[in-house]
């Protein structure tokens, strides 16, 4: 047996990407400070990258196995390892050269439990990198999202509009109240501090911005601004340019979930997951979810 075959047998995962650019965009979306550690979870269904902050903010990037041109999974269970998010992004950027075909192989674990990356399609030069992994800490809070009722409390708004609204809410200098009301159907963002600012998204009046709306009762919760801003501060320019929608859902206890979609298809290169009209199938999309805990008000601190 060759040495490469032996490594393949021992590896939990060997996979290949036809473009690192989309993965970089997805990971940058969940990077809200300079130094962050990420938990990477492997499974037969794909890769999940999880980052969190002080038990109040958590983000997950889902990379489904259909995103990869090769996905050989040989582990039992779901291996986990920790890695520096910034270092991972920097390494992936090294393999993303505009105008060149760059198939990237990821392999885990290496001989010293490292994450190994290498280019596999360049006839004249090769790029190789190893990232030291760490033993992951236990996720400090339960991010299991539960619906608030039988009818979802949710809305979908154009990503650029959501980012602009949250950016504008910085100057009042306070936490942000998000309210949903069924009549008239609308979403209200309100900040009070050095000044007052209220931003309304009215469903019937702004269907070009507020794409979808579901609410059967009035609900209102407050969220710390810095955590709310982290959900949109690094949305890729490609998402804003494509004018896509981001979905927000309020779950049990006021837990806020915000979802973005990031394309990982190689630009201007045909792929079996892209049809003749250029429509990208869902398998070429990375799913990003943010979970933000609400601020607990004194009046309902003891409520379930």
């Amino acid at each position: 047996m060759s040495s490469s075959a032996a490594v393949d047998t021992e590896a939990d995962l060997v996979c290949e990407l036809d473009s690192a650019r989309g993965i970089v965009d997805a990971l940058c979306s969940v990077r809200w400070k300079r130094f962050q550690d990420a938990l990477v979870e492997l499974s037969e269904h794909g890769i999940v990258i999880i980052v969190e902050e002080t038990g109040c903010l958590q983000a997950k990037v889902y990379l489904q196995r259909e995103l990869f041109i090769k996905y050989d999974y040989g582990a039992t269970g779901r291996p986990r390892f920790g890695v520096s998010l910034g270092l991972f992004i920097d390494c992936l950027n090294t393999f993303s050269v505009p105008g060149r075909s760059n198939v990237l192989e990821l392999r885990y674990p290496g001989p010293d439990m490292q994450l190994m990356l290498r280019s596999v399609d360049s006839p004249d030069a090769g790029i190789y990198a190893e990232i030291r992994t760490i033993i992951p800490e236990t996720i400090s809070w339960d991010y299991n999202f539960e619906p608030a009722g039988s009818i979802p409390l949710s809305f979908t708004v154009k990503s650029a509009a959501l980012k602009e609204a949250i950016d504008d809410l910085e100057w009042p200098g306070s936490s942000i109240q998000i309210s949903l009301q069924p009549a008239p159907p609308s979403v209200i963002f309100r900040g009070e501090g050095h000044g007052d600012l209220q931003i309304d998204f009215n469903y019937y009046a702004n269907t070009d911005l507020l794409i979808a709306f579901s609410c059967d009762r009035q609900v209102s919760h407050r969220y710390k601004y810095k955590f709310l801003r982290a959900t949109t501060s690094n949305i890729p320019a490609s998402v804003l340019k494509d004018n896509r929608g981001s979905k927000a859902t309020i779950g049990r206890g006021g837990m806020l979930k915000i979802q973005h979609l990031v394309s990982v298809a190689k630009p201007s290169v045909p792929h079996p997951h892209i049809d003749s009209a250029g429509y990208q199938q869902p398998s070429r999309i990375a799913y990003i979810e943010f979970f933000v805990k609400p601020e607990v008000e004194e009046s309902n601190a003891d409520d379930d």
Side-chain angles (χ1 to χ4, degrees):
M1 180 182 291
S2 67
S3 58
S4 60
V7 172
D8 284 345
T9 302
E10 296 169 3
D12 290 338
L13 176 65
V14 179
C15 59
E16 291 181 1
L17 284 164
D18 56 5
S19 174
R21 182 71 259 161
I23 306 300
V24 169
D25 284 345
L27 294 180
C28 285
S29 299
V30 301
R31 188 182 185 186
W32 52 77
K33 63 181 182 180
R34 184 176 180 183
F35 298 106
Q36 280 177 279
D37 287 332
L39 174 68
V40 181
E41 181 179 275
L42 310 177
S43 78
E44 66 274 21
H45 305 296
I47 301 173
V48 182
I49 297 97
I50 306 170
V51 291
E52 69 170 13
E53 173 79 10
T54 65
C56 292
L57 170 67
Q58 188 175 90
K60 302 171 75 174
V61 177
Y62 296 88
L63 306 176
Q64 296 175 306
R65 66 178 298 154
E66 290 83 6
L67 298 178
F68 301 87
I69 57 178
K70 173 183 176 181
Y71 196 89
D72 293 340
Y73 185 76
T76 56
R78 297 194 172 192
R80 287 182 167 190
F81 59 89
V83 69
S84 164
L85 181 62
L87 183 59
F88 192 19
I89 291 172
D90 289 344
C91 282
L92 289 171
N93 264 324
T94 303
F95 292 87
S96 181
V97 180
R100 291 187 58 185
S101 175
N102 298 281
V103 175
L104 168 63
E105 179 190 83
L106 287 80
R107 181 188 302 267
Y108 177 83
D112 296 316
M113 302 303 293
Q114 71 270 50
L115 176 63
M116 305 166 67
L117 302 87
R118 70 182 181 101
S119 58
V120 296
D121 66 340
S122 177
D124 52 355
I127 306 175
Y128 178 81
E130 295 184 1
I131 303 177
R132 179 182 299 174
T133 63
I134 57 178
I135 298 174
E137 297 181 1
T138 303
I139 295 297
S140 62
W141 59 286
D142 183 7
Y143 54 88
N144 185 35
F145 186 86
E146 298 181 9
S150 56
I151 296 178
L153 300 173
S154 66
F155 61 94
T156 302
V157 64
K158 289 296 179 64
S159 300
L162 179 63
K163 176 176 169 56
E164 182 179 355
I166 293 177
D167 287 348
D168 288 345
L169 286 163
E170 182 176 14
W171 71 265
S174 71
S175 57
I176 305 303
Q177 183 182 58
I178 300 178
S179 302
L180 276 67
Q181 61 183 32
S186 56
V187 181
I188 301 168
F189 291 78
R190 183 174 180 82
E192 298 176 348
H194 302 301
D196 296 343
L197 179 63
Q198 180 170 309
I199 300 173
D200 296 356
F201 289 100
N202 298 308
Y203 184 46
Y204 295 138
N206 295 305
T207 53
D208 55 333
L209 294 179
L210 191 59
I211 306 168
F213 182 84
S214 174
C215 176
D216 64 343
R217 65 189 186 280
Q218 187 164 344
V219 63
S220 180
H221 294 281
R222 301 189 72 89
Y223 304 90
K224 190 174 291 294
Y225 178 78
K226 69 174 183 178
F227 296 145
L228 190 62
R229 184 178 183 274
T231 66
T232 61
S233 59
N234 290 316
I235 292 180
S238 60
V239 174
L240 302 180
K241 183 179 178 180
D242 292 345
N243 213 15
R244 293 184 182 151
S246 296
K247 183 178 181 180
T249 307
I250 295 177
R252 185 177 180 183
M255 180 78 78
L256 176 66
K257 177 170 68 174
I258 295 182
Q259 300 167 290
H260 307 297
L261 304 178
V262 176
S263 170
V264 298
K266 194 167 187 175
S268 303
V269 176
H271 190 281
H273 294 288
I274 302 179
D275 63 23
S276 59
Y279 176 76
Q280 293 182 27
Q281 301 298 328
S283 60
R284 299 298 291 168
I285 296 292
Y287 297 83
I288 300 172
E289 292 183 342
F290 287 88
F291 300 87
V292 187
K293 282 188 174 180
E295 292 188 332
V296 178
E297 299 179 8
E298 295 298 327
S299 59
N300 62 6
D302 296 328
D303 293 345
D304 291 336

